Amino acid sequence: MAEPRSSMAPFLEMMAVERAASRHTLAAYRNDLSAWFAFLKQQGTSELSATEQDVRAFVQATADAGLKATTQARRLAAIRQFHRFLHLEGHRPDDPTLSVEGPRRERALPRVLTEEEMEGLLAAARAKEGADGLRLTCLLELAYASGLRVSELVGLTLSAFTPDRSALLVRGKGSKERMVPVGRFAREAVMRWLEVRPADRKNRLFPSNGASGHLTRQHVLYLLKRLAPEAGLDPERISPHVLRHAFATHLLAHGADLRAVQTMLGHADIATTQIYTHVRPERLATVVAEHHPLARMTTKMAETRPDGPGAAVAAEEDQA
């Protein structure tokens, strides 16, 4: 059986070339697999001879170390992908991860701002003066209007936006492109920012002098945390992903189609989008009152009761 020149290197190369994995995804795989390799070394074995029992022991060790269930599941997923690769490439006759179940995870509801809180955050950004204020307003307006991932937002190029088109061309996970509609307020915020935006060679919408050529995710997080108190919000409640949650939740609360929201968010699986269906209780009550046949029947009966709204009309007609 062929000996891999380096067990991790060809796997990461495959993920980068064939799966178009981002550098952040590759870094996560590298960290998780490094932990797996270190564990195997302690056990006196290697990735080429690891057994199902080794995999189970590793999962248990991560749990004993106090790591969250989501982290445990992510590490197991990385190991699964890696050993599937080794098996398919002929470096192992089997895959020791096939029968190993991951930890059960309760999917937490995403943190969401109310529409009023979101408007307050936007108002705080609009109140800022100068180029920094226009850039921050543009970032917020685009994030809330489109639901982009922060990596997609900061990576936008000038060609993604044209004033006469009410949609952005976005390159998402796996380099997949999608069109995301944006409203008038967001388009106007972009136009105001473009008037003061510094020129750069890479034509980024949000240029920076850093290695990437554009604003980093960390800097966007910093800007949001600093803005939050000015809107009367706890900085701990704010992050770029919270803006994405607000986009999806507010759309669904106003009756948007789940499939349409899935497309705009760039989710491959609609199950990922369904977590945003936790609309506010008052919205659920309104939906039932407006659309359930029994609710409509109850309203009609109330109008015809002697003491109902229809009673006053009937009394006026009798008096006439």
Side-chain angles (χ1 to χ4, degrees), residues 97-313:
T97 69
L98 283 178
S99 301
V100 180
E101 293 185 3
R104 292 193 174 185
R105 293 182 291 169
E106 286 190 8
R107 195 158 195 177
L109 292 177
R111 291 178 294 165
V112 177
L113 299 178
T114 66
E115 293 177 41
E116 294 75 17
E117 289 172 331
M118 195 63 229
E119 183 53 45
L121 198 64
L122 287 166
R126 294 177 191 131
K128 290 188 170 295
E129 299 179 351
D132 287 346
L134 291 174
R135 184 183 66 179
L136 181 56
T137 301
C138 184
L139 282 165
L140 273 176
E141 291 278 9
L142 272 181
Y144 184 46
S146 64
L148 296 183
R149 300 176 180 93
V150 64
S151 57
E152 297 169 343
L153 179 64
V154 297
L156 286 173
T157 61
L158 292 178
S159 60
F161 172 82
T162 55
D164 59 342
R165 188 176 63 194
S166 59
L168 287 173
L169 179 62
V170 180
R171 186 181 295 273
K173 284 187 174 180
S175 295
K176 294 179 181 178
E177 291 187 340
R178 69 185 191 276
M179 296 296 292
V180 180
V182 290
R184 177 172 60 88
F185 291 115
R187 295 200 305 274
E188 290 176 352
V190 174
M191 292 304 296
R192 287 191 294 270
W193 162 239
L194 288 178
E195 292 176 1
V196 299
R197 168 192 166 276
D200 76 306
R201 288 188 230 172
K202 295 186 179 179
N203 290 320
R204 300 289 189 180
L205 183 56
F206 301 107
S208 165
N209 293 325
S212 65
H214 58 70
L215 283 185
T216 64
R217 299 176 303 160
Q218 293 81 0
H219 192 69
V220 174
L221 176 62
Y222 166 76
L223 292 174
L224 292 177
K225 297 285 189 187
R226 197 169 65 170
L227 180 67
E230 298 178 32
L233 297 172
D234 181 353
E236 291 301 313
R237 295 183 59 207
I238 307 295
S239 73
H241 217 61
V242 167
L243 303 184
R244 182 169 159 87
H245 294 328
F247 163 82
T249 304
H250 297 170
L251 273 181
L252 291 169
H254 284 278
D257 178 71
L258 188 64
R259 287 286 183 185
V261 176
Q262 175 194 3
T263 300
M264 287 185 281
L265 290 174
H267 286 161
D269 188 347
I270 197 169
T272 309
T273 316
Q274 285 174 332
I275 195 165
Y276 295 109
T277 56
H278 67 292
V279 297
R280 294 175 296 180
E282 59 266 29
R283 171 61 185 167
L284 291 176
T286 302
V287 169
V288 171
E290 291 179 354
H291 301 290
H292 198 286
L294 286 180
R296 291 200 298 270
M297 188 183 301
T298 302
T299 302
K300 187 174 181 180
M301 291 173 61
E303 290 175 348
T304 58
R305 280 174 47 191
D307 58 343
V313 176

